[in-house]
Amino acid sequence: MSEADARTGLAPSLALPDTAGEVQTLPMPGEAPATVVIWTCNHCPYALAWHDRLVAVANDYAEQGVGFLAVNSNDPERYPADSPEAMRERVERERWPFPYLWDESQDAARDWGAQTTPHLFVLDADLRIRYEGAPDADHRDPSLNAAWLREALDALLAGESPLQDHTEPVGCSIKWR
């Protein structure tokens, strides 16, 4: 996160192509009650284990106007399963309910301070980061149902602050060039 963004608590900008080549951005302030930005990838066992829970949250909160964006910043030379082509094939096969963005330069991951896959950032309507970290306490336990993410979203939608604003992100490290 840039020094200015860290001072204001605002999320860094984000403008990246999705798997169809369309550039996706964060909503304008006030356009969505909350937005979730998820760093993820195609090969990490943690990201894969949490994926269905994150899709369920996106589906459960869609009617309330919560937006979701997934971002892949991994080096596809070292991890071909994370290439733009593999991303496109996965989205088409699994019919994702949110855009999957390609951070070819890895600048977005650096700007946001993304560390792992997954690494979640929950933004309020003013694009302030209100929760950052893992979806829930254990990627191996689907019954946890992305509880930390749901708690943060429920609080924001109720006009309150999340009970916790940070947990340690857990997963595979971003695969830097």
Side-chain angles (χ1 to χ4, degrees):
M1 183 180 309
S2 75
E3 190 176 315
D5 293 333
R7 282 195 307 272
T8 63
L10 293 176
S13 64
L14 188 68
L16 296 169
D18 63 18
T19 55
E22 299 292 322
V23 173
Q24 302 284 333
T25 62
L26 294 175
M28 295 298 293
E31 280 185 344
T35 303
V36 180
V37 180
I38 307 162
W39 255 263
T40 191
C41 70
N42 289 352
H43 86 275
C44 170
Y46 295 89
L48 294 171
W50 265 309
H51 180 76
D52 288 344
R53 283 177 257 180
L54 296 173
V55 166
V57 174
N59 288 330
D60 291 348
Y61 287 81
E63 286 185 19
Q64 296 173 68
V66 175
F68 280 73
L69 296 169
V71 181
N72 176 8
S73 299
N74 282 350
D75 177 3
E77 295 296 318
R78 292 176 38 219
Y79 293 87
D82 292 333
S83 71
E85 296 80 21
M87 291 170 57
R88 188 171 23 265
E89 290 169 6
R90 183 173 177 210
V91 166
E92 289 172 3
R93 183 177 61 250
E94 297 176 9
R95 298 179 180 255
W96 287 27
F98 44 78
Y100 193 14
L101 313 182
W102 173 231
D103 179 20
E104 182 176 11
S105 69
Q106 300 183 319
D107 289 343
R110 285 185 185 87
D111 290 348
W112 283 69
Q115 300 170 28
T116 61
T117 56
H119 190 159
L120 280 61
F121 297 85
V122 179
L123 315 179
D124 66 15
D126 296 322
L127 303 182
R128 287 187 186 87
I129 298 172
R130 302 298 298 275
Y131 172 78
E132 174 187 349
D136 58 45
D138 189 349
H139 71 285
R140 295 168 298 213
D141 186 354
S143 73
L144 294 177
N145 203 22
W148 294 343
L149 172 56
R150 288 175 184 275
E151 289 168 5
L153 290 173
D154 289 343
L156 291 176
L157 292 171
E160 301 169 2
S161 293
L163 293 176
Q164 59 184 349
D165 62 5
H166 184 271
T167 62
E168 196 61 37
V170 177
C172 300
S173 65
I174 300 288
K175 304 310 182 201
W176 303 103
R177 284 187 196 84

